Every structure is written in structure tokens, then in C-alpha cells.
Amino acid sequence: MLARGLLPASTNAAYGGSGLSAVFLGLCAAGSLIPGLLHYGLPDGGAGVIAGIDLSTRRETIVGVFAWYGALQIPHGLAQLAVAVRYRNLVPLFLALVVLERGLVGLDAWFGRGAGGHHPPEHYTTVAHTALAVVFLILSLRPRRRSTHDHPASTAP
């Protein structure tokens, strides 16, 4: 009963793009949920043990920002998962959001305020993630080729 109220009927039948794009968005969901849970749940938010950030000064602020970011990643990942599984007609929109988010993170990490001598693992994966998201966005916008199974030939009487 609760699921029916929270989740309207599936819109997957209205999606005409590549099924691989929906699968990629599902992987993006995992890529949001897992770090989100780590940032929110680890005692240091992953700032020290994963990112290698020196926490000897301003520890509370750094850990607080990591927890805040994790709190944003968790619902974002759940929304991505819902779209990938149940509301595929929104896949292009969500992939465009992935491109925007990862693109902005990458720009800042390599050329902006986050650019510096130290690059945590996410800085490297963000570049590849952005490029893949662009590819799958394009695939999600291209109509699928119809197979003979989509429109079976009528049989003669």
C-alpha cells in the first residue's frame, strides 16, 4: 500500500532509448549510494581513510562536510535507481544530470578550487564517469531499432 502511494505506475513502456543506458544509470545509482553511505557512516566520513585528507586541523568541519555530501548522495542514488528500474522515460534527464554533476566535480577537481597536488581516487574516476555518461546519454536519446519481434508480420489467411 505504501509503495503504491510513493511509486506511481511504471513508465518503462514509454522509453525508447537504449536499455544499456538504463543499466548504466543503475550503476550510477550504486556509485552514488555506496559512497553516500560511506561518507555518512564512516567515523571520518572517508576523508582520512579513503581520500587521505589530513584531519589534524578542522576535523569537525571536514567530517561534517563529508557527512553532508553523503546525505545528499543517498537520496540522489535512490532516485537514480528508481528511474533505472521503474521510470525509464526519465533516463535521458537523469543521465544529463549525471553529466552535469560529474562534469562540475571534474572541472573543480582538476582546474578549480579542488585542484592541487593531492588527488583522491574520485578525481580520476570522475573523468571517465563523465565521458561514459555522455555516451550513454546519447544512446538514451537515440530511438531503438525495431526488430521483427516488435512488429510480427501478419499471417496470410
Side-chain angles (χ1 to χ4, degrees):
M1 183 72 109
L2 179 62
R4 191 169 28 157
L6 287 176
L7 298 173
S10 175
T11 61
N12 287 352
Y15 177 60
S18 171
L20 291 175
S21 294
V23 171
F24 179 75
L25 184 62
L27 293 173
C28 290
S32 292
L33 286 168
I34 293 168
L37 291 167
L38 292 172
H39 290 321
Y40 195 77
L42 287 175
D44 72 349
V49 297
I50 296 173
I53 296 173
D54 178 10
L55 297 176
S56 61
T57 59
R58 309 292 295 184
R59 177 184 174 85
E60 295 81 17
T61 302
I62 295 168
V63 172
V65 168
F66 270 64
W68 170 74
Y69 188 58
L72 293 173
Q73 287 176 300
I74 294 167
H76 183 66
L78 290 172
Q80 289 173 322
L81 186 60
V83 168
V85 171
R86 194 167 168 96
Y87 305 107
R88 289 190 175 178
N89 62 332
L90 295 173
V91 164
L93 171 64
F94 271 70
L95 287 175
L97 293 173
V98 169
V99 169
L100 178 62
E101 174 201 5
R102 296 287 86 202
L104 289 172
V105 168
L107 282 173
D108 184 63
W110 291 98
F111 305 109
R113 296 172 299 263
H118 174 73
H119 291 286
E122 182 183 2
H123 288 188
Y124 296 94
T125 61
T126 294
V127 175
H129 192 166
T130 305
L132 285 171
V134 168
V135 169
F136 284 106
L137 172 60
I138 291 167
L139 291 174
S140 75
L141 294 169
R142 293 178 57 194
R144 276 187 277 183
R145 292 183 185 173
R146 298 204 184 264
S147 71
T148 56
H149 300 291
D150 292 340
H151 297 291
S154 59
T155 56

